[in-house]
């Protein structure tokens, strides 16, 4: 039972670490206007999708979590009129505009804070579980 509880908390730690890494990548690329291939295409935010992990399940129904996928935000970029910018769009509806990533710093920071708190909570659960196991062994011995 104690080992299964630690496995569940470990799965949550891994999921929240992945989420934090993804969020930090979004924040780091808020000003990226060019993709890896050198094309004038703004960075698109990533988001982690979590799912219940049925492998880590207790008899009482508690379950772990796993990263199901990391999806790319498909929303339109933010356009700013900057006709003198070297990456300004040359023709069409958005002529003279520069496409920027559609990433809200406040939302990213709140999500990062939430992931950090979830991570800390699971570390706390692991400490309690470890102490419970230690106390149980001291009673038996």
């Amino acid at each position: 039972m104690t080992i299964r509880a630690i496995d569940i908390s470990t799965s949550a730690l891994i999921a929240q670490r992945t989420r934090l890494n993804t969020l930090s990548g979004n924040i780091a690329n808020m000003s990226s206007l060019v993709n890896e291939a050198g094309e004038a295409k703004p960075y698109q935010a990533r988001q982690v999708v979590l799912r219940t992990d049925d492998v880590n399940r207790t008899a009482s129904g508690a379950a772990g979590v796993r990263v199901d996928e990391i999806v790319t935000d498909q929303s339109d970029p933010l356009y700013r009129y900057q006709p003198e910018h070297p990456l300004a769009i040359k023709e069409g509806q958005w002529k003279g505009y520069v496409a920027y990533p559609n990433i809200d710093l406040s939302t990213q920071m709140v999500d990062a804070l939430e992931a950090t708190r979830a991570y800390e909570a699971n570390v706390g659960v692991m400490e309690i579980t470890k102490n419970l196991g230690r106390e149980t062994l001291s009673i038996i011995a």
Side-chain angles (χ1 to χ4, degrees), residues 2-65:
T2 302
I3 300 300
R4 182 63 65 186
I6 290 176
D7 289 345
I8 289 172
S9 291
T10 301
S11 72
L13 291 175
I14 293 167
Q16 295 305 330
R17 181 189 63 206
T18 303
R19 193 168 162 221
L20 277 170
N21 287 340
T22 303
L23 290 164
S24 65
N26 290 343
I27 292 169
N29 285 292
M30 282 183 61
S31 300
S32 297
L33 305 178
V34 180
N35 65 12
E36 296 84 17
E39 303 167 329
K41 185 174 183 206
Y43 178 82
Q44 292 176 290
R46 283 20 173 210
Q47 186 174 15
V48 177
V49 177
L50 303 176
R51 296 278 186 234
T52 302
D53 186 4
D54 292 326
V55 172
N56 286 325
R57 186 174 289 280
T58 65
S60 62
V65 64

Side-chain angles (χ1 to χ4, degrees), residues 65-94:
V65 64
R66 65 178 173 83
V67 175
D68 189 43
E69 63 180 320
I70 298 176
V71 295
T72 302
D73 182 17
Q74 297 301 315
S75 63
D76 291 333
L78 300 175
Y79 292 100
R80 295 186 191 139
Y81 187 68
Q82 298 174 317
E84 303 301 321
H85 195 286
L87 295 175
I89 298 170
K90 305 294 185 222
E91 55 190 43
Q93 174 187 3
W94 296 105

Side-chain angles (χ1 to χ4, degrees), residues 100-113:
Y100 285 87
N102 191 358
I103 299 173
D104 180 47
L105 180 60
S106 297
T107 302
Q108 298 296 311
M109 292 301 291
V110 168
D111 287 349
L113 184 60

